[in-house]
Amino acid sequence: MIRHRPASVTLADLEALDRDDPLRTLRDAFMLPDGVVYLDGVSLGALPRETPTRLHEVAARQWGQDLIRSWTVHDWIGAPQRVGDKIARLIGAGRGEVVVSDSTSVNLFKLLAAACRLRPDRSLILSEPGNFPNDLYVAQGFQGLSDGRIGLRLVSADQIEAAIDEHVAVVLLTHVHYKSAAVHDMARITARAHAQGALALWDLSHSAGAVPVNLNAAQADFAVGCGYKYLNGGPGAPAYLFVAQRHQATTASPITGWLGHARPFDFIDDYTPAPGIGRFLAGSHPILGITALEVGVDLMLRADPQCRVDKSRALSELFVALVESRCAGQGLELASPRSPEARGCHVALRHAQAYAVMQALIVRGVIGDFRAPDAMRFGFAPLYNRYADSWHAVETLRDVLHTAAWDRPEFKQRQAVT
Ligand SMILES: *Cc1c(COP(=O)(O)O)cnc(C)c1O
């Protein structure tokens, strides 16, 4: 995979880049353990320093002292919309188009159902093989519930546009691929879907806070996304969903819970959906989870968007160039697009012993992750990763491969979570 001449860059050069980094102060806003090069924000974002304090405050003061009154006096009830409006600014959505709720999986189910109901005369969900399996599983579950009315069709990424025809109700794609980090052209695919009368539902789990996203410029219909990756909302953080303003009055959630009701506290027997995006809420939302998510989103909003994008591209590009020059001949293969513009914030490398190699890296303090069957992922979070991290990661990778340090039985024992 040698494409470049050995990079002449030195560690000192990279440390100088880190000192001049306009986002440098944001790294200090995160708690990262000494001696760890954390390259797994693609799976679980780091902990903002402020999060434990905020959680303590909300638990001890709001919950502990103000008790049930907090739903009103601390606006717990408005939290999904308030934080949704903040996330909207990261993904090119307007106020009232995004709400924090449930998990990405549940939101996906709700929006797939909403989209298919908008196109009752159409019978297909179109996606790609190798999409994040979870999303395909959710589509299969919805398909099962439709008693055969709805089918799921998978075609490879380069065939998607051609496959959108008059049978397709909704195109379901992950904007940045979870494994390869390949980016779909959201505006183009959405335009093609609309030209054929279909709708577009985008999973932004690896996009928000990572790459430029402009849902409204792309005329996207629906989107979902995850709170615990680049948004740093903490393990199992609540997710979010987007429904374009133009669809809100005519769509409905299949989970008609009371918090999506127009007047939940009237306690009447019949369901009437709330007028706006609130109709996609279901049950009571996790206040502690949203509290932690809001800290992460506020931090992300502090970073200049162009600086963020430029930095994450520079970091991942540096990593790829260093791997090409320092680890040539070690059986690695780039499993991500070579051009930084064509990929998200992470880089996937294939290796026959990818799992064991990653375990050996983790033991040495370089934390990425493994995705079956043979890929290592290295994520570059612009808020807290440093240029020097790429250097240390590649030097450690080189050492692990050169010395075959991965070749130990304990590194080949698969854990429950990879
Ligand atoms: C991480 C991720 C999810 C997360 O789904 P959960 O419901 O939070 O487990 C969904 N879709 C994609 C593409 C992801 O990468």
Side-chain angles (χ1 to χ4, degrees):
M1 61 182 275
I2 303 187
R3 298 269 301 269
H4 286 241
R5 296 192 45 74
S8 55
V9 66
T10 64
L11 177 58
D13 296 336
L14 300 178
E15 288 171 343
L17 274 181
D18 285 323
R19 279 193 297 276
D20 293 341
D21 173 10
L23 301 178
R24 192 187 61 241
T25 54
L26 282 167
R27 177 178 169 98
D28 298 332
F30 289 88
M31 270 200 230
L32 285 157
D34 287 337
V36 165
V37 173
Y38 191 64
L39 299 179
D40 210 8
V42 60
S43 218
L44 175 66
L47 170 66
R49 282 186 193 280
E50 201 195 326
T51 302
T53 316
R54 278 291 294 154
L55 285 172
H56 181 75
E57 182 183 310
V58 172
R61 216 193 70 223
Q62 300 187 5
W63 177 17
Q65 299 297 313
D66 297 329
L67 290 158
I68 190 73
R69 292 167 291 182
S70 295
W71 283 101
T72 309
V73 297
H74 299 298
D75 195 32
W76 285 1
I77 195 70
Q81 280 90 347
R82 181 180 72 245
V83 182
D85 281 342
K86 291 182 180 185
I87 294 172
R89 291 160 54 194
L90 297 170
I91 56 178
R95 286 180 69 82
E97 286 187 313
V98 178
V99 80
V100 168
S101 120
D102 301 312
S103 63
T104 310
S105 310
V106 171
N107 289 334
L108 197 61
F109 180 86
K110 293 190 287 190
L111 295 190
L112 270 180
C116 288
R117 273 204 238 170
L118 278 183
R119 293 290 179 273
D121 51 338
R122 293 177 174 227
S123 59
L124 279 180
I125 297 169
L126 183 68
S127 191
E128 63 173 315
N131 188 358
F132 188 53
N134 172 68
D135 294 19
L136 301 180
Y137 304 155
V138 170
Q140 288 162 26
F142 176 66
Q143 182 185 14
L145 210 61
S146 76
D147 283 334
R149 190 183 82 75
I150 305 287
L152 173 64
R153 180 160 182 233
L154 305 181
V155 299
S156 62
D158 57 340
Q159 300 295 312
I160 290 276
E161 286 174 59
I164 305 175
D165 62 18
E166 72 280 10
H167 303 295
V168 175
V170 56
V171 181
L172 164 66
L173 290 171
T174 301
H175 178 227
V176 173
H177 195 273
Y178 81 101
K179 201 179 329 184
S180 73
V183 184
H184 277 296
D185 187 334
M186 179 186 286
R188 218 175 114 149
I189 295 175
T190 302
R192 168 75 193 169
H194 291 172
Q196 298 298 313
L199 298 159
L201 195 175
W202 293 96
D203 187 330
L204 303 179
S205 291
H206 294 281
S207 307
V211 298
V213 184
N214 197 332
L215 289 170
N216 280 334
Q219 300 259 301
D221 301 287
F222 301 100
V224 296
C226 171
Y228 49 79
K229 292 170 182 157
Y230 296 103
L231 298 185
N232 304 305
Y240 58 90
L241 64 84
F242 158 90
V243 177
Q245 192 78 51
R246 64 184 178 281
H247 292 312
Q248 290 182 6
T250 51
T251 47
S253 171
I255 306 175
T256 44
W258 70 313
L259 288 195
H261 193 285
R263 293 173 306 280
F265 288 90
D266 281 5
F267 290 105
I268 50 177
D269 287 350
D270 291 323
Y271 181 80
T272 308
I277 188 78
R279 65 178 51 191
F280 286 93
L281 295 176
S284 304
H285 37 272
I287 292 301
L288 294 174
I290 300 183
T291 297
L293 175 62
E294 189 166 17
V295 175
V297 171
D298 282 341
L299 270 179
M300 186 62 73
L301 286 169
R302 269 170 54 190
D304 175 72
Q306 195 57 49
C307 282
R308 262 201 287 118
V309 170
D310 290 347
K311 184 180 168 191
S312 62
R313 282 182 182 157
L315 285 169
S316 70
E317 180 54 19
L318 171 68
F319 177 81
V320 173
L322 287 172
V323 167
E324 286 172 341
S325 64
R326 305 283 296 159
C327 303
Q330 294 293 328
L332 291 172
E333 191 191 329
L334 183 65
S336 296
R338 183 61 188 82
S339 151
E341 289 76 32
R343 63 176 186 245
C345 262
H346 70 271
V347 172
L349 298 177
R350 259 190 229 108
H351 189 275
Q353 294 294 335
Y355 184 79
V357 172
M358 181 50 74
Q359 300 316 301
L361 286 173
I362 292 171
V363 163
R364 284 162 177 72
V366 175
I367 303 180
D369 62 20
F370 166 80
R371 286 295 173 263
D374 59 359
M376 291 180 272
R377 290 193 306 183
F378 300 88
F380 297 91
L383 297 199
Y384 54 80
N385 281 126
R386 298 180 291 204
Y387 293 95
D389 289 344
S390 287
W391 176 278
H392 293 303
V394 175
E395 288 308 293
T396 310
L397 177 61
R398 175 184 162 88
D399 183 61
V400 162
L401 293 171
H402 261 273
T403 61
W406 53 266
D407 195 6
R408 298 170 66 119
E410 67 267 31
F411 293 152
K412 296 174 189 173
Q413 194 65 43
R414 292 274 175 103
Q415 314 269 339
V417 176
T418 65

